[in-house]
Each structure stands twice: as C-alpha cells, then as structure tokens.
Amino acid sequence: MTSYDAKKIIDIHQHLHSDLPSDPALRVKALESLLVEQGLVDPKAIDAWIDLYAEEIGPKRGARVVARAWTDPAYKERLLADGTAAITEFGYQGHATGHVLAVENSDRVHNVVVCTLCSCYPFALLGMSPGWYKSAEYRARIVREPRAVLREFGVDLPENTEIRVWDSTSELRYLVLPQRPAGTEGLDEAALAALVTRNSMIGTDILKARM
Amino acid sequence: MTQEKSLRVHDMGGRNGLGPVVMDADEAPFHADWEARMWGINEAMTGAPGWTLDWWRHVRELIPAEDYLTRPYFDQWMQVYAAMMVDDGWASIGEIARGKAVRPAPQVSPPMPASDVLAASRRTTDFRRDTDRQPAFKVGAYVKTIRIGGIAHTRLPAYAMERAGVVHAYRGNHIVPDEMARGREMAEPLYTIAFSRADLWPEAAGSRDRIFVDLWERYLEPR
C-alpha cells in the first residue's frame, strides 16, 4: 500500500542516497533489470516509447500547429479558444496536452513559459523538453528577471513590451504562438513550419525576419 | 518575515544565487542512453494503484536537497521510482541496488506490450471534474494568496504566497493536487491569477511585466 507519508519517503531517500550505485547509468540499468524480472515492464515497450519520442513526437508538431494558425484565421481562432481540440485536428493529442492553452505574441506582449515547481511541458505537442527548461537557473530566474534571462537567449525586448510569464502550476499546458516573421508572405504552410523553432514556442526565441 | 515558506528545494521560483541559463547545443530528445531508458520505464511500467501524478511529484520534491540540485534530471526520476517501490513494499533497497529480485514480485496484470504504445501515446488525461462547486471569484476580482508551510505537497509556489493578484481566468473545476498527493481525488475551481512582477519582487518596482500562476480556490482569499 502506498503510504502517502512524507517522513517515510525522506527516510527512504536517505537510504537510497547511501546504498545505490552513484553512476546514473548503473542505477537505471539495475532498476530496469529488476522491473523486467518482476514482470512490471516489457523492455520492448520501453524501446517503442523511446523510438516514438525520438522519431515521431517532437517540436515539428508544434511548428505545424503554429504555421496553420498563421495561414488560417479560423484555425487560429479555434486554437486560441480550445488548444486541445485544435491540436487534436492534427492527431497530436497525447501526454500532458489535455488542457492546452495557446498564448499569442504581439508587438506589445511577449509570452514565455516555465514550470518553477518541477518540469511540466506539453510533451505530445513539443516532444521531450530541453535541458535548460528543467534547469534550476531557468526555473528560478525567469519569474524574477525575465528580461535578463531572455537576453541570454538572444531575445532583447523593448521596455514597452509587456512580458507575460506563465508558470505551469496546474495541468494546463501553455503553447506560445510566436509572431510570424516579416518577409514570409510568399511562403506556404510547410515552409513556414520549417522556420518555427522549439524555443519560440516556449517563448525564449523570436523568429527573425526573412529578407 | 514569514517563516517556512520558500525553504523547500524544488520550489525554485525567484531563488537568488543561480548563474546564467546553459542552453542545449541541439534539439536532441535524449543525451544519453540511460536517460532514454528511464523515460521509457516511466511510460511503460506498471505502477501501484496508489501512484497518482501528484504523489510522484511529491516523492521527487522530497529528494534530499544535495541530490535534487546535483543529480541529473532523469536520475531523479530513477530515485522517485525506487522510493515509491520501497514505500509500497514492491522491492527492497538491496534488490533495487543489485537489480535482482529476492522476494516474490507484486501480483499485477502483464505490463504494457510494445503493440499498445502508439495508442497509449495518444491518450490525454482530463483533470476537470463535473461538480456542483461554483467559482467563488469572478474574473477581474482582486485576491490575495494564503501561506502554506511544511513539507506537504502543494502547487502554490512560495514566491506567490501572501501576494495580491487579479483573477485572469476561471479554468473549470480541476482535481486538487494537494489532495491527489495523498491519494484523494476531489475537484475545486482553478483560476489563472495574474501578479504584477512589481508586486512579487522588491527590485522590480515600476515593471509592467506580469507573472501568471494557475491556482486552486483554496489558495485564495478575497481582498
């Protein structure tokens, strides 16, 4: 039975700290061996999950959603009204996308997303999260000094642009809808999607004009 | 000053003393085989009936501070699973360390086969629940957040405790994480609260930037 007892868990963690091998690769290998022996995991299913998130599910999905929103005003309206329904039109629903909220950048507003308490991220839409997103530095600083952090990413915003930081403390998952870069009027949806970076959909990148 | 709040290591928002953000060199999903294996274990393994999402988060939050700050991200996931298995009596620390079972395995149905992975990857979870609860606060209402101390799980970040904010949106009645971390499912109104950055940080006076935090009704008081 699960104890839900924090003090018991703290005690277990202390023992794990001293009794487990220190190399993470060895620790994970031992865990997998045990789980396979216990019949709790099928290693082929692990392979399948890895393949899926290495090949299929990644930021290209979000990029297609963004490009569609840029080129199809009715789709953009649906995306802003109900993000989960709008990504389901592409078949992109899945992990951590039950409550997707798209937030739109403009000349006056720049949005950026964080999870200060852990690492919440819309996996089925953007794939695995980047290391920096999970780092203590980003989680600590983006809610306090967003302009300084964004400058580290090469994003320098005018003082009169309002920065909105969205802290993912619930099961809502935020997708930043970046501004369509200038000079892309002639491009079709696929060409536009190729311009959209992962970081621009988290809010730590601004897509450059194409001349 | 308020005691207790912001002492928990995982509650990072606003913490001082951290350096520049180190960017990833590429967009690769995994940077080591063991990271990918741990991710896959997390997805494919059969868990105990009591392992809720917020219990998982709570167990990670209870990792000793030195490990939380220094151990790689997916290594912390390993430690969460190890701790939950020991807690449920599914394995001893020695069995986990050696990767070898001594006692009989827990009696559960067969694990997820590879053929189920695609369908499982497309399933979403809806955290809203239909209840009679009507939201106590209207959009635009001025609210103040409460203080929560101790080590129990909560999704009210310390930097947003005892602060004045404005209700930006009502999001429906969502499962309350503080209860889910104890294995209890109940739902109550969830709001997105807008805080002025200037109201959160002493050095940010005059800033027009805003921080939006999703908060449950129990964290809020009228002001």
Side-chain angles (χ1 to χ4, degrees), chain A residues 100-177:
Chain A
V100 172
L101 276 163
V103 287
E104 186 183 11
N105 286 351
S106 69
D107 290 338
R108 293 182 300 115
V109 172
H110 180 86
N111 296 284
V112 60
V113 182
V114 64
C115 174
T116 62
L117 296 175
C118 50
S119 53
C120 297
Y121 193 72
F123 291 102
L125 186 59
L126 299 183
M128 302 304 297
S129 56
W132 59 259
Y133 183 82
K134 297 172 280 200
S135 71
E137 290 81 6
Y138 182 76
R139 289 165 53 196
R141 293 177 54 222
I142 193 72
V143 292
R144 186 155 191 164
E145 42 174 356
R147 281 170 201 277
V149 172
L150 288 173
R151 271 194 294 273
E152 290 167 23
F153 282 90
V155 174
D156 203 353
L157 294 165
E159 272 307 311
N160 59 356
T161 300
E162 179 194 338
I163 298 178
R164 296 183 181 174
V165 183
W166 302 84
D167 191 354
S168 312
T169 48
S170 75
E171 300 311 322
L172 309 184
R173 293 291 167 270
Y174 294 93
L175 170 72
V176 174
L177 181 54

Coordinates of all heavy atoms in Angstrom, one line a residue, chain A residues 100-177:
Chain A
V100 N -4.6 22.3 -23.3 CA -3.6 23.2 -23.9 C -4.1 24.6 -24.1 O -5.3 24.8 -24.5 CB -3.2 22.6 -25.3 CG1 -2.3 23.6 -26.1 CG2 -2.5 21.3 -25.2
L101 N -3.3 25.6 -23.7 CA -3.7 27.0 -23.8 C -2.7 27.7 -24.7 O -1.5 27.7 -24.3 CB -3.7 27.6 -22.5 CG -5.0 27.5 -21.7 CD1 -4.8 27.8 -20.2 CD2 -6.1 28.4 -22.2
A102 N -3.1 28.2 -25.8 CA -2.2 28.9 -26.7 C -2.2 30.4 -26.2 O -3.3 31.0 -26.0 CB -2.5 28.8 -28.1
V103 N -1.0 31.0 -26.1 CA -0.9 32.4 -25.8 C -0.1 33.1 -26.9 O 0.9 32.7 -27.3 CB -0.2 32.7 -24.4 CG1 -1.2 32.3 -23.3 CG2 1.1 31.9 -24.2
E104 N -0.7 34.2 -27.4 CA -0.2 34.8 -28.6 C 0.7 36.0 -28.4 O 0.3 36.9 -27.6 CB -1.5 35.3 -29.4 CG -1.1 35.8 -30.8 CD -2.3 36.3 -31.6 OE1 -3.4 36.4 -31.0 OE2 -2.2 36.5 -32.8
N105 N 1.8 36.0 -29.0 CA 2.7 37.2 -29.0 C 2.2 38.2 -30.0 O 1.6 38.0 -31.0 CB 4.1 36.7 -29.4 CG 4.8 36.0 -28.3 OD1 4.3 35.9 -27.2 ND2 6.0 35.4 -28.6
S106 N 2.6 39.5 -29.6 CA 2.2 40.6 -30.5 C 3.3 41.7 -30.3 O 4.3 41.4 -29.6 CB 0.9 41.2 -30.1 OG 1.0 41.8 -28.8
D107 N 3.2 42.8 -31.0 CA 4.1 43.9 -30.8 C 4.2 44.4 -29.4 O 5.2 44.9 -28.9 CB 3.8 45.0 -31.7 CG 4.1 44.7 -33.2 OD1 4.8 43.7 -33.4 OD2 3.5 45.3 -34.1
R108 N 3.1 44.2 -28.7 CA 3.0 44.7 -27.3 C 3.2 43.7 -26.2 O 3.5 44.1 -25.1 CB 1.6 45.4 -27.1 CG 1.4 46.6 -28.0 CD 0.0 47.3 -27.7 NE -1.0 46.3 -27.9 CZ -1.9 45.8 -27.0 NH1 -1.7 46.2 -25.8 NH2 -2.8 45.0 -27.3
V109 N 3.0 42.4 -26.5 CA 3.1 41.4 -25.5 C 4.0 40.2 -25.9 O 3.9 39.8 -27.1 CB 1.6 40.8 -25.2 CG1 1.7 39.6 -24.3 CG2 0.7 41.9 -24.6
H110 N 4.9 39.8 -25.0 CA 5.7 38.6 -25.3 C 5.5 37.6 -24.2 O 5.6 37.9 -23.0 CB 7.2 39.0 -25.3 CG 8.0 37.8 -25.6 ND1 8.3 37.3 -26.9 CD2 8.7 36.9 -24.8 CE1 9.0 36.2 -26.8 NE2 9.3 36.0 -25.5
N111 N 5.1 36.4 -24.6 CA 4.8 35.3 -23.6 C 6.0 34.4 -23.5 O 6.7 34.1 -24.4 CB 3.6 34.5 -24.1 CG 2.3 35.4 -24.1 OD1 1.7 35.7 -23.1 ND2 1.9 35.8 -25.3
V112 N 6.2 33.9 -22.2 CA 7.2 32.9 -22.0 C 6.7 31.9 -20.9 O 6.0 32.3 -20.0 CB 8.6 33.5 -21.7 CG1 8.5 34.4 -20.4 CG2 9.7 32.5 -21.5
V113 N 7.1 30.6 -21.1 CA 6.5 29.6 -20.2 C 7.6 28.9 -19.3 O 8.7 28.8 -19.8 CB 5.9 28.5 -21.1 CG1 5.2 27.4 -20.2 CG2 4.9 29.1 -22.1
V114 N 7.2 28.6 -18.1 CA 8.1 27.9 -17.2 C 7.3 26.9 -16.3 O 6.1 27.0 -16.3 CB 8.8 28.9 -16.3 CG1 7.9 29.7 -15.4 CG2 9.9 28.3 -15.4
C115 N 8.0 26.0 -15.6 CA 7.4 25.3 -14.5 C 8.4 25.5 -13.4 O 9.4 24.8 -13.3 CB 7.2 23.8 -14.9 SG 6.6 22.8 -13.5
T116 N 8.1 26.4 -12.4 CA 9.0 26.6 -11.4 C 9.1 25.5 -10.4 O 10.1 25.3 -9.6 CB 8.7 27.9 -10.6 OG1 7.4 27.8 -10.0 CG2 8.7 29.1 -11.5
L117 N 8.0 24.7 -10.3 CA 8.0 23.6 -9.2 C 8.5 22.3 -9.7 O 8.9 21.5 -8.9 CB 6.5 23.5 -8.7 CG 5.9 24.7 -8.0 CD1 4.4 24.4 -7.7 CD2 6.6 25.0 -6.7
C118 N 8.4 22.0 -11.0 CA 9.0 20.8 -11.5 C 9.5 21.0 -12.9 O 10.4 21.7 -13.2 CB 8.1 19.6 -11.3 SG 6.4 19.7 -11.8
S119 N 8.8 20.4 -13.9 CA 9.2 20.5 -15.3 C 8.1 20.3 -16.2 O 8.3 19.7 -17.3 CB 10.3 19.5 -15.5 OG 9.8 18.2 -15.1
C120 N 6.9 20.7 -15.9 CA 5.7 20.4 -16.7 C 5.8 21.0 -18.1 O 6.3 22.1 -18.3 CB 4.4 21.0 -16.0 SG 4.1 20.3 -14.4
Y121 N 5.4 20.3 -19.1 CA 5.7 20.6 -20.5 C 4.7 19.8 -21.4 O 4.3 18.7 -21.0 CB 7.1 20.1 -20.8 CG 7.8 20.6 -22.0 CD1 8.2 21.9 -22.2 CD2 8.0 19.7 -23.1 CE1 8.9 22.3 -23.4 CE2 8.7 20.1 -24.3 CZ 9.1 21.4 -24.4 OH 9.7 21.9 -25.5
P122 N 4.3 20.4 -22.5 CA 3.3 19.7 -23.4 C 3.9 18.7 -24.3 O 4.2 18.9 -25.5 CB 2.7 20.9 -24.2 CG 3.7 21.9 -24.2 CD 4.6 21.8 -23.0
F123 N 4.3 17.5 -23.7 CA 5.1 16.5 -24.4 C 4.6 16.1 -25.7 O 5.4 16.0 -26.7 CB 5.3 15.3 -23.5 CG 6.1 15.5 -22.3 CD1 5.5 15.7 -21.0 CD2 7.5 15.6 -22.4 CE1 6.3 16.0 -19.9 CE2 8.2 15.9 -21.2 CZ 7.6 16.1 -20.0
A124 N 3.3 15.8 -25.8 CA 2.8 15.3 -27.1 C 2.8 16.3 -28.2 O 2.8 16.0 -29.4 CB 1.4 14.7 -26.9
L125 N 2.9 17.6 -27.9 CA 2.9 18.6 -28.8 C 4.4 19.1 -29.2 O 4.7 19.4 -30.3 CB 2.1 19.8 -28.3 CG 1.9 21.0 -29.2 CD1 1.1 20.6 -30.5 CD2 1.0 22.0 -28.4
L126 N 5.3 19.1 -28.2 CA 6.6 19.7 -28.4 C 7.7 18.6 -28.2 O 8.9 18.9 -28.4 CB 6.9 20.9 -27.5 CG 6.0 22.1 -27.6 CD1 6.4 23.2 -26.7 CD2 6.0 22.6 -29.1
G127 N 7.3 17.4 -27.8 CA 8.3 16.3 -27.6 C 9.0 16.5 -26.2 O 8.5 17.1 -25.3
M128 N 10.2 15.9 -26.1 CA 11.0 16.0 -24.8 C 11.4 17.4 -24.6 O 11.7 18.2 -25.5 CB 12.2 15.1 -24.9 CG 11.9 13.6 -25.2 SD 10.8 12.9 -24.0 CE 11.7 13.0 -22.5
S129 N 11.4 17.8 -23.3 CA 11.7 19.2 -23.0 C 13.2 19.4 -23.1 O 14.0 18.5 -22.7 CB 11.1 19.6 -21.7 OG 11.6 18.7 -20.7
P130 N 13.7 20.6 -23.4 CA 15.1 20.9 -23.4 C 15.7 20.9 -22.0 O 15.0 21.1 -21.0 CB 15.3 22.2 -24.0 CG 13.9 22.9 -24.0 CD 12.9 21.8 -23.9
G131 N 17.0 20.6 -21.9 CA 17.6 20.6 -20.6 C 17.5 21.9 -19.8 O 17.3 21.9 -18.6
W132 N 17.7 23.0 -20.6 CA 17.6 24.3 -19.9 C 16.3 24.6 -19.2 O 16.2 25.2 -18.2 CB 18.0 25.4 -20.8 CG 17.1 25.6 -22.1 CD1 17.4 25.2 -23.3 CD2 15.9 26.2 -22.1 NE1 16.4 25.5 -24.2 CE2 15.4 26.2 -23.5 CE3 15.0 26.9 -21.2 CZ2 14.2 26.7 -23.9 CZ3 13.8 27.4 -21.6 CH2 13.4 27.3 -22.9
Y133 N 15.2 24.0 -19.9 CA 13.9 24.3 -19.3 C 13.7 23.6 -17.9 O 13.0 24.1 -17.1 CB 12.8 23.7 -20.3 CG 11.4 23.9 -19.9 CD1 10.8 25.1 -20.2 CD2 10.7 22.9 -19.3 CE1 9.4 25.3 -19.9 CE2 9.4 23.1 -18.9 CZ 8.7 24.3 -19.2 OH 7.4 24.5 -18.9
K134 N 14.4 22.5 -17.7 CA 14.4 21.8 -16.5 C 15.4 22.3 -15.4 O 15.4 21.8 -14.3 CB 14.6 20.3 -16.7 CG 13.5 19.7 -17.6 CD 13.8 18.3 -18.0 CE 14.8 18.2 -19.2 NZ 14.8 16.9 -19.9
S135 N 16.3 23.2 -15.9 CA 17.4 23.6 -15.0 C 16.9 24.5 -13.9 O 15.9 25.3 -14.0 CB 18.4 24.4 -15.8 OG 18.0 25.6 -16.2
A136 N 17.7 24.5 -12.8 CA 17.4 25.4 -11.6 C 17.5 26.8 -12.1 O 16.7 27.7 -11.6 CB 18.4 25.1 -10.5
E137 N 18.5 27.1 -12.9 CA 18.7 28.5 -13.3 C 17.5 29.1 -14.0 O 17.1 30.2 -13.7 CB 19.9 28.6 -14.3 CG 21.3 28.3 -13.6 CD 21.6 26.8 -13.4 OE1 20.8 26.0 -13.9 OE2 22.6 26.5 -12.8
Y138 N 17.0 28.4 -15.0 CA 15.8 28.9 -15.7 C 14.6 29.0 -14.8 O 13.9 30.0 -14.7 CB 15.5 28.0 -16.9 CG 14.3 28.5 -17.7 CD1 14.5 29.6 -18.6 CD2 13.1 27.9 -17.7 CE1 13.4 30.1 -19.3 CE2 12.0 28.4 -18.4 CZ 12.2 29.4 -19.2 OH 11.1 29.9 -20.0
R139 N 14.3 27.9 -14.0 CA 13.1 27.9 -13.2 C 13.2 29.0 -12.1 O 12.2 29.6 -11.8 CB 13.0 26.5 -12.5 CG 12.6 25.4 -13.5 CD 12.9 24.0 -12.9 NE 12.3 23.8 -11.6 CZ 12.6 22.9 -10.8 NH1 13.5 22.0 -11.1 NH2 12.0 22.7 -9.6
A140 N 14.4 29.3 -11.6 CA 14.5 30.3 -10.5 C 14.3 31.7 -11.1 O 13.7 32.5 -10.5 CB 15.8 30.1 -9.8
R141 N 15.0 31.9 -12.3 CA 15.2 33.3 -12.7 C 14.1 33.9 -13.6 O 13.9 35.1 -13.6 CB 16.6 33.4 -13.3 CG 17.7 33.2 -12.3 CD 19.1 33.2 -13.0 NE 19.3 34.4 -13.7 CZ 19.8 34.5 -14.9 NH1 20.3 33.5 -15.5 NH2 19.9 35.7 -15.5
I142 N 13.4 33.0 -14.4 CA 12.6 33.6 -15.4 C 11.4 34.3 -14.8 O 10.9 35.3 -15.4 CB 12.1 32.5 -16.4 CG1 11.4 33.1 -17.7 CG2 11.2 31.5 -15.8 CD1 12.4 33.8 -18.6
V143 N 10.9 33.9 -13.6 CA 9.8 34.6 -13.0 C 10.3 35.9 -12.3 O 9.4 36.7 -11.9 CB 9.0 33.7 -12.0 CG1 8.3 32.6 -12.7 CG2 9.9 33.2 -10.9
R144 N 11.6 36.0 -12.1 CA 12.1 37.2 -11.3 C 12.7 38.2 -12.2 O 12.5 39.4 -12.1 CB 13.1 36.7 -10.3 CG 13.5 37.8 -9.3 CD 14.0 37.3 -8.0 NE 14.2 38.4 -7.1 CZ 14.3 38.2 -5.8 NH1 14.2 37.0 -5.2 NH2 14.4 39.3 -5.0
E145 N 13.5 37.8 -13.1 CA 14.2 38.7 -14.0 C 14.1 38.2 -15.5 O 15.1 37.8 -16.1 CB 15.7 38.9 -13.6 CG 16.4 37.6 -13.2 CD 17.9 37.8 -13.0 OE1 18.4 38.9 -13.2 OE2 18.5 36.8 -12.6
P146 N 12.8 38.2 -16.0 CA 12.6 37.6 -17.3 C 13.4 38.3 -18.4 O 13.9 37.6 -19.3 CB 11.1 37.8 -17.5 CG 10.7 38.8 -16.5 CD 11.6 38.7 -15.4
R147 N 13.6 39.6 -18.3 CA 14.3 40.3 -19.4 C 15.8 39.9 -19.4 O 16.3 39.7 -20.5 CB 14.2 41.8 -19.2 CG 12.9 42.4 -19.7 CD 12.7 43.8 -19.3 NE 11.3 44.1 -19.4 CZ 10.6 44.4 -20.5 NH1 11.2 44.5 -21.6 NH2 9.3 44.5 -20.5
A148 N 16.4 39.7 -18.3 CA 17.8 39.3 -18.2 C 17.9 37.9 -18.8 O 18.9 37.6 -19.6 CB 18.3 39.4 -16.8
V149 N 17.0 37.0 -18.4 CA 17.1 35.6 -18.9 C 16.9 35.6 -20.4 O 17.6 34.9 -21.2 CB 16.1 34.7 -18.2 CG1 16.0 33.3 -18.8 CG2 16.4 34.6 -16.7
L150 N 15.9 36.3 -20.9 CA 15.6 36.3 -22.3 C 16.8 36.9 -23.1 O 17.1 36.4 -24.2 CB 14.3 37.1 -22.6 CG 13.0 36.4 -22.2 CD1 11.8 37.3 -22.4 CD2 12.9 35.1 -23.0
R151 N 17.5 37.9 -22.6 CA 18.7 38.4 -23.2 C 19.8 37.3 -23.4 O 20.5 37.3 -24.4 CB 19.3 39.6 -22.5 CG 18.6 40.9 -23.0 CD 19.5 42.1 -22.5 NE 19.4 42.3 -21.0 CZ 18.5 42.9 -20.4 NH1 17.5 43.5 -21.0 NH2 18.5 43.0 -19.1
E152 N 19.8 36.4 -22.4 CA 20.8 35.3 -22.5 C 20.4 34.4 -23.7 O 21.3 33.7 -24.3 CB 20.8 34.5 -21.2 CG 21.5 35.2 -20.1 CD 21.3 34.6 -18.7 OE1 21.0 33.4 -18.6 OE2 21.4 35.4 -17.7
F153 N 19.2 34.4 -24.0 CA 18.7 33.6 -25.2 C 18.8 34.4 -26.5 O 18.3 34.0 -27.6 CB 17.3 33.1 -25.0 CG 17.1 31.9 -24.1 CD1 16.9 32.1 -22.7 CD2 17.1 30.6 -24.6 CE1 16.8 31.0 -21.9 CE2 17.0 29.5 -23.8 CZ 16.8 29.7 -22.4
G154 N 19.3 35.6 -26.4 CA 19.4 36.5 -27.6 C 18.1 37.2 -27.9 O 17.9 37.8 -29.0
V155 N 17.2 37.3 -26.9 CA 15.9 38.0 -27.1 C 15.9 39.3 -26.3 O 15.9 39.2 -25.1 CB 14.7 37.1 -26.7 CG1 13.4 37.9 -26.8 CG2 14.6 35.8 -27.5
D156 N 16.1 40.4 -27.0 CA 16.1 41.7 -26.3 C 14.9 42.5 -26.6 O 14.7 42.9 -27.8 CB 17.4 42.4 -26.8 CG 17.9 43.4 -25.8 OD1 17.2 43.7 -24.8 OD2 18.9 44.0 -26.1
L157 N 14.0 42.6 -25.7 CA 12.7 43.2 -25.9 C 12.7 44.7 -25.5 O 13.3 45.0 -24.5 CB 11.6 42.4 -25.1 CG 11.4 41.0 -25.6 CD1 10.6 40.2 -24.5 CD2 10.7 40.9 -26.9
P158 N 12.0 45.5 -26.2 CA 11.8 46.9 -25.8 C 11.1 47.0 -24.5 O 10.3 46.2 -24.1 CB 11.0 47.5 -26.9 CG 10.7 46.5 -27.9 CD 11.2 45.2 -27.5
E159 N 11.4 48.1 -23.7 CA 10.9 48.3 -22.4 C 9.4 48.3 -22.4 O 8.7 47.9 -21.5 CB 11.4 49.6 -21.8 CG 12.7 49.4 -21.0 CD 12.7 48.3 -20.0 OE1 11.8 48.3 -19.2 OE2 13.6 47.4 -20.0
N160 N 8.8 48.8 -23.5 CA 7.3 49.0 -23.5 C 6.6 47.7 -24.0 O 5.4 47.6 -24.1 CB 6.9 50.2 -24.4 CG 7.4 50.0 -25.8 OD1 8.1 49.1 -26.2 ND2 6.9 51.0 -26.7
T161 N 7.4 46.6 -24.3 CA 6.7 45.3 -24.5 C 6.5 44.7 -23.1 O 7.4 44.6 -22.3 CB 7.6 44.4 -25.3 OG1 7.9 45.0 -26.6 CG2 7.0 43.0 -25.5
E162 N 5.2 44.3 -22.9 CA 4.9 43.6 -21.6 C 5.3 42.1 -21.7 O 4.9 41.4 -22.7 CB 3.4 43.7 -21.3 CG 3.0 42.9 -20.0 CD 1.5 42.7 -19.9 OE1 0.7 43.4 -20.5 OE2 1.1 41.8 -19.1
I163 N 6.1 41.7 -20.8 CA 6.4 40.2 -20.7 C 5.4 39.5 -19.8 O 5.1 40.0 -18.7 CB 7.8 40.0 -20.2 CG1 8.8 40.7 -21.1 CG2 8.1 38.5 -20.1 CD1 10.3 40.5 -20.7
R164 N 4.8 38.5 -20.3 CA 3.9 37.6 -19.5 C 4.6 36.3 -19.3 O 4.8 35.6 -20.3 CB 2.6 37.5 -20.2 CG 1.8 38.8 -20.4 CD 0.5 38.6 -21.0 NE -0.2 39.9 -21.2 CZ -1.3 40.1 -21.8 NH1 -2.0 39.0 -22.3 NH2 -1.9 41.3 -21.8
V165 N 4.9 35.9 -18.1 CA 5.5 34.7 -17.7 C 4.3 33.7 -17.2 O 3.6 34.1 -16.3 CB 6.5 34.8 -16.7 CG1 7.2 33.5 -16.4 CG2 7.6 35.9 -17.0
W166 N 4.2 32.6 -17.8 CA 3.2 31.6 -17.4 C 3.8 30.5 -16.7 O 4.6 29.7 -17.2 CB 2.4 31.1 -18.7 CG 1.8 32.2 -19.5 CD1 2.4 33.0 -20.4 CD2 0.5 32.7 -19.4 NE1 1.6 33.9 -20.9 CE2 0.3 33.8 -20.3 CE3 -0.6 32.3 -18.6 CZ2 -0.8 34.5 -20.4 CZ3 -1.8 33.0 -18.7 CH2 -1.9 34.1 -19.7
D167 N 3.5 30.3 -15.4 CA 4.1 29.3 -14.5 C 3.1 28.1 -14.5 O 2.0 28.2 -14.1 CB 4.3 29.8 -13.1 CG 5.1 28.9 -12.3 OD1 5.4 27.7 -12.7 OD2 5.5 29.2 -11.1
S168 N 3.6 27.0 -15.1 CA 2.7 25.8 -15.3 C 2.5 25.1 -13.9 O 2.9 23.9 -13.8 CB 3.3 24.8 -16.3 OG 3.8 25.5 -17.4
T169 N 1.7 25.7 -13.0 CA 1.5 25.0 -11.7 C 0.3 24.1 -11.7 O 0.2 23.3 -10.8 CB 1.3 26.1 -10.7 OG1 0.3 27.0 -11.1 CG2 2.6 26.8 -10.4
S170 N -0.5 24.1 -12.7 CA -1.7 23.1 -12.8 C -1.4 22.2 -14.0 O -0.3 22.1 -14.5 CB -3.0 23.9 -13.0 OG -3.1 24.4 -14.3
E171 N -2.5 21.5 -14.4 CA -2.3 20.6 -15.6 C -2.6 21.4 -16.9 O -2.6 20.7 -18.0 CB -3.2 19.4 -15.4 CG -3.0 18.5 -14.2 CD -1.5 18.2 -14.1 OE1 -0.8 17.9 -15.1 OE2 -1.0 18.2 -12.9
L172 N -2.8 22.7 -16.8 CA -2.8 23.5 -18.1 C -1.4 23.5 -18.6 O -0.5 23.7 -17.9 CB -3.3 24.9 -17.8 CG -4.6 25.1 -17.0 CD1 -4.9 26.6 -16.9 CD2 -5.8 24.3 -17.6
R173 N -1.3 23.4 -20.0 CA 0.0 23.5 -20.6 C -0.1 24.6 -21.7 O -0.9 24.6 -22.5 CB 0.3 22.1 -21.3 CG 0.5 21.0 -20.3 CD 1.8 21.2 -19.5 NE 1.9 20.2 -18.3 CZ 1.4 20.5 -17.1 NH1 0.8 21.7 -16.9 NH2 1.4 19.6 -16.2
Y174 N 0.9 25.4 -21.6 CA 0.9 26.6 -22.5 C 1.8 26.4 -23.7 O 2.9 25.8 -23.7 CB 1.5 27.8 -21.6 CG 0.5 28.2 -20.5 CD1 0.7 27.6 -19.2 CD2 -0.6 29.0 -20.8 CE1 -0.2 27.9 -18.2 CE2 -1.5 29.3 -19.8 CZ -1.3 28.8 -18.5 OH -2.2 29.1 -17.5
L175 N 1.3 26.9 -24.8 CA 2.0 27.0 -26.1 C 2.1 28.4 -26.5 O 1.0 29.1 -26.6 CB 1.2 26.2 -27.2 CG 1.7 26.3 -28.6 CD1 3.1 25.6 -28.8 CD2 0.7 25.8 -29.6
V176 N 3.3 28.9 -26.7 CA 3.4 30.3 -27.2 C 3.2 30.3 -28.7 O 3.8 29.5 -29.4 CB 4.8 30.9 -26.8 CG1 5.0 32.3 -27.4 CG2 5.0 30.9 -25.3
L177 N 2.3 31.2 -29.1 CA 2.1 31.4 -30.6 C 3.0 32.6 -31.0 O 2.7 33.7 -30.7 CB 0.6 31.6 -30.8 CG 0.2 31.9 -32.3 CD1 0.7 30.7 -33.2 CD2 -1.3 32.0 -32.4

